[in-house]
């Protein structure tokens, strides 16, 4: 069998793989892309896009219940769940052409809709053919991790891969896992009319700043989402009314549906990694700072290499293009900004307070501003949350966290500040439009200098910046 040769062979047509393929093709490389499932991967079909579409519908429903403080009589919405599902599918369909096989073939990419695996360190086999390439990229993503709970495998549980195909609104949704996916979907289904109980063996939103995550958890509780933390699930089964979970410490939960949102597992099976000399751990494929695997011809990006986010995979694609195509030294950063898209949202960039103190100890200083002190938030009747900035020696910004409506948008200037290595003073001086929620970030920066208020000049500047609004 005569091998087909390419400059670049990519396995996986999710965010990372598509980004590498598009860039390489536009630079004139001969590219082959393998995908055994849906083009667009998890994000388009089972993750970012459908979940945000469902959250948007749920937010609209909640708005109908929440106008009393603004003089609008609350109304319990009538939810047509089939129409909600149709909205979710329309969102996917609107974005799908950008990720489609046809678009990439027009870019010059050879798309093979089949599984691919390594035959040896320099070649792949797929669809009965052999392929060789100068460089390879693994972008196979991840899938839901299913915890080893006795009886769970025998249940008709949901994951993010099947949730959006569910045709009926659950009467009582049980959610196993209180990370971002679990809590986003818990709130969405509660707002659409389902009873919801979340079970978490450890702490909800454990990877975020607890001061900020508390804002989210308080709102979910106020809306009727029951969250049981520190409660491991000991067993699961099916009953006359649906499913049940037995909890550590006693007690049984019953519900009509079960969503398993207990983390992710990298897709490393059936790739022939041993044959290619590629090392792998439970966390994913082992890569160096340039995203190269233990086989120097092969790179890995995204979830399969230990990533967590769609934007991380896209960013890593650029690192691979620089390294693999142009031989330019580029190192991937280890930390990515992220957002939990509950309402209120929780956004984090850089180090949390705990992470910063572990590195810098007593040199860490915090700057906060609550939205209760923001005029736009007061006008909208949504004052929950705060901006929290973490700084290190000489006022250099180490991290920023925001909990509140629109936090995912409000975090963006702080991401730029972190990328540019700015000090906190740079964020205190810009003139911002009034009234905006973005002013809360500037006020937090101004607040940083309050400890210097014994200096008359500093005190005068603080007064001017904090009182002038227009």
């Amino acid at each position: 069998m005569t091998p087909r040769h390419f400059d670049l062979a990519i396995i996986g047509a999710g965010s990372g793989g598509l980004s590498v393929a598009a860039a390489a093709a536009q630079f004139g490389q001969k590219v082959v892309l393998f995908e055994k499932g849906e083009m667009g991967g998890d994000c388009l079909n089972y993750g970012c896009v459908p979940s945000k579409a469902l959250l948007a519908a749920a937010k609209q429903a909640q708005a109908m219940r929440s106008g009393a403080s603004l003089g609008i009589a609350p109304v319990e919405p009538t939810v047509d769940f089939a129409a909600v599902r149709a909205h979710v599918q329309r969102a996917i369909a609107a974005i799908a052409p950008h990720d489609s096989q046809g678009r990439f073939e027009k870019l010059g990419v050879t798309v093979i809709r089949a599984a691919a695996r390594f035959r040896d360190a320099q070649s792949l086999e797929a669809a009965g053919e052999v392929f060789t390439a100068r460089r390879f990229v693994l972008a196979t993503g991840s899938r839901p991790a299913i915890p080893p709970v006795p009886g769970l495998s025998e249940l008709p549980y949901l994951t993010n891969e099947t949730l959006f195909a569910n045709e009926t609104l659950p009467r009582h949704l049980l959610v196993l896992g209180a990370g971002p996916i679990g809590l986003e979907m818990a709130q969405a289904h509660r707002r659409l009319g389902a009873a919801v109980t979340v079970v978490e063996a450890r702490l909800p939103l454990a990877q975020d700043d607890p001061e900020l995550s508390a804002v989210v958890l308080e709102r979910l509780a106020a809306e009727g989402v029951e969250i049981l933390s520190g409660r491991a699930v000991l067993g699961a089964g099916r009953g006359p009314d649906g499913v049940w979970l037995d909890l550590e410490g006693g007690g049984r939960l019953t519900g009509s549906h079960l969503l398993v949102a207990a983390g992710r597992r990298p897709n490393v099976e059936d790739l022939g990694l041993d044959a290619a000399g590629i090392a792998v751990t439970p966390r994913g494929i082992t890569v160096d700072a340039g995203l190269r695997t233990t086989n120097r011809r092969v790179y890995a990006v995204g979830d399969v290499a230990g990533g967590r986010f769609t934007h991380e995979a896209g960013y890593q694609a650029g690192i691979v293009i620089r390294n693999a195509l142009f031989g330019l030294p580029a190192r991937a950063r280890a930390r990515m900004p992220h957002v939990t898209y509950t309402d209120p949202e929780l956004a984090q960039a850089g180090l949390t307070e705990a992470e910063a103190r572990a590195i810098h100890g007593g040199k860490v200083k915090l700057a906060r501003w609550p939205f209760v002190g923001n005029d736009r938030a007061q006008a909208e009747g949504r004052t929950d949350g705060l901006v929290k900035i973490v700084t290190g020696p000489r006022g250099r910004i180490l991290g920023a966290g925001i909990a509140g409506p629109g936090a995912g948008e409000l975090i963006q200037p702080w991401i730029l500040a972190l990328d540019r290595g700015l000090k906190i003073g740079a964020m205190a001086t810009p003139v911002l439009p009034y009234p905006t929620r973005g002013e809360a970030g500037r006020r937090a920066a101004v607040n940083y200098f309050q400890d210097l208020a014994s200096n008359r000049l500093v005190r005068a500047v603080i007064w001017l910046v904090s009182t002038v609004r227009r």
Side-chain angles (χ1 to χ4, degrees):
M1 183 181 298
T2 302
R4 299 173 64 181
H5 184 72
F6 292 82
D7 296 311
L8 188 65
I10 305 163
I11 304 179
S15 175
L18 292 178
S19 297
V20 173
Q26 290 174 50
F27 281 120
Q29 301 294 298
K30 188 179 180 183
V31 181
V32 61
L33 172 66
F34 303 92
E35 175 53 63
K36 66 179 181 180
E38 298 289 338
M39 295 289 291
D42 190 85
C43 180
L44 172 63
N45 298 289
Y46 316 116
C48 314
V49 173
S51 66
K52 304 312 166 281
L54 189 70
L55 285 166
K59 185 175 183 179
Q60 197 73 13
Q62 187 65 14
M64 298 179 67
R65 303 184 182 98
S66 306
S69 64
L70 302 177
I72 309 300
V75 176
E76 185 61 28
T78 299
V79 175
D80 182 342
F81 197 68
V84 170
R85 286 188 64 245
H87 159 68
V88 171
Q89 295 305 314
R90 282 195 302 272
I92 295 172
I95 298 171
H98 186 266
D99 293 350
S100 68
Q101 179 174 341
R103 173 175 178 258
F104 278 81
E105 288 177 338
K106 287 180 181 178
L107 291 174
V109 177
T110 298
V111 180
I112 307 293
R113 301 299 293 273
R117 60 180 288 117
F118 284 97
R119 300 171 71 247
D120 52 42
Q122 303 179 47
S123 66
L124 296 168
E125 58 183 355
E129 295 186 275
V130 176
F131 301 81
T132 60
R134 291 194 306 110
R135 296 288 184 267
F136 301 84
V137 177
L138 294 171
T140 52
S142 65
R143 63 185 184 278
I146 308 302
V149 174
L152 182 59
S153 61
E154 302 170 14
L155 297 183
Y157 59 78
L158 300 167
T159 69
N160 73 293
E161 293 181 349
T162 56
L163 177 66
F164 303 106
N166 183 41
E167 296 182 352
T168 59
L169 178 68
R171 175 181 52 80
H172 186 171
L173 178 66
L174 305 182
V175 181
L176 184 52
I181 296 173
L183 292 186
E184 287 176 10
M185 293 300 93
Q187 186 179 40
H189 282 82
R190 178 65 188 131
R191 287 179 162 191
L192 291 171
V196 179
T197 303
V198 182
V199 184
E200 170 57 56
R202 300 178 180 85
L203 292 174
L205 297 176
Q207 296 184 343
D208 288 293
D209 186 304
E211 183 178 5
L212 301 174
S213 61
V215 176
V216 173
L217 298 176
E218 287 171 9
R219 169 53 70 94
L220 266 63
E223 293 184 7
V225 177
E226 183 180 17
I227 302 175
L228 305 177
S229 59
R231 303 288 298 276
V233 176
L234 302 181
R238 192 185 309 206
D241 297 323
V243 296
W244 53 261
L245 301 175
D246 282 342
L247 304 184
E248 184 179 41
R252 171 173 288 191
L253 293 176
T254 60
S256 59
H257 296 70
L258 172 63
L259 170 63
V260 178
R264 308 287 296 177
R265 180 177 177 181
N267 291 326
V268 296
E269 294 81 10
D270 300 322
L271 293 174
L273 299 180
D274 287 343
I278 298 172
V280 64
T281 72
R283 189 172 182 272
I285 291 173
T286 302
V287 294
D288 63 15
L291 301 173
R292 193 192 299 258
T293 72
T294 49
N295 179 334
R296 293 187 62 79
R297 290 175 174 267
V298 184
Y299 294 80
V301 299
D303 289 12
V304 76
R308 295 172 56 201
F309 310 110
T310 295
H311 52 280
E312 183 174 14
Y315 158 76
Q316 289 178 343
I319 300 294
V320 167
I321 290 295
R322 291 197 287 276
N323 282 325
L325 267 61
F326 300 109
L328 299 174
R331 298 167 63 88
R333 66 184 67 179
R335 185 176 301 277
M336 287 285 121
H338 63 272
V339 181
T340 297
Y341 294 93
T342 48
D343 180 18
E345 294 177 351
L346 195 165
Q348 178 70 48
L351 301 177
T352 64
E353 177 186 353
E355 290 167 339
R357 293 195 186 282
I359 298 170
H360 299 282
K363 296 180 181 180
V364 170
K365 185 176 178 180
L366 304 176
R368 297 181 179 87
W369 193 261
F371 285 110
V372 73
N374 176 266
D375 292 1
R376 179 65 175 272
Q378 288 288 355
E380 294 176 341
R382 284 295 306 273
T383 58
D384 45 336
L386 73 154
V387 176
K388 180 177 181 179
I389 311 303
V390 181
T391 65
R394 296 176 296 280
R396 188 164 303 280
I397 301 168
L398 300 177
I402 303 175
E409 311 298 330
L410 298 176
I411 198 68
Q412 294 182 27
W414 295 98
I415 295 172
L416 178 62
L418 283 160
D419 280 350
R420 296 296 181 265
L422 299 183
K423 294 183 179 180
I424 189 72
M427 305 299 285
T429 54
V431 178
L432 302 181
Y434 172 87
T436 59
R437 285 182 172 267
E439 288 184 292
R442 183 181 64 86
R443 293 296 295 264
V446 171
N447 211 31
Y448 171 88
F449 296 98
Q450 293 292 345
D451 289 346
L452 305 176
S454 58
N455 181 299
R456 292 179 62 186
L457 177 60
V458 171
R459 190 163 63 243
V461 172
I462 291 173
W463 182 85
L464 284 170
V465 174
S466 62
T467 57
V468 175
R469 291 177 173 169
R470 299 185 176 92

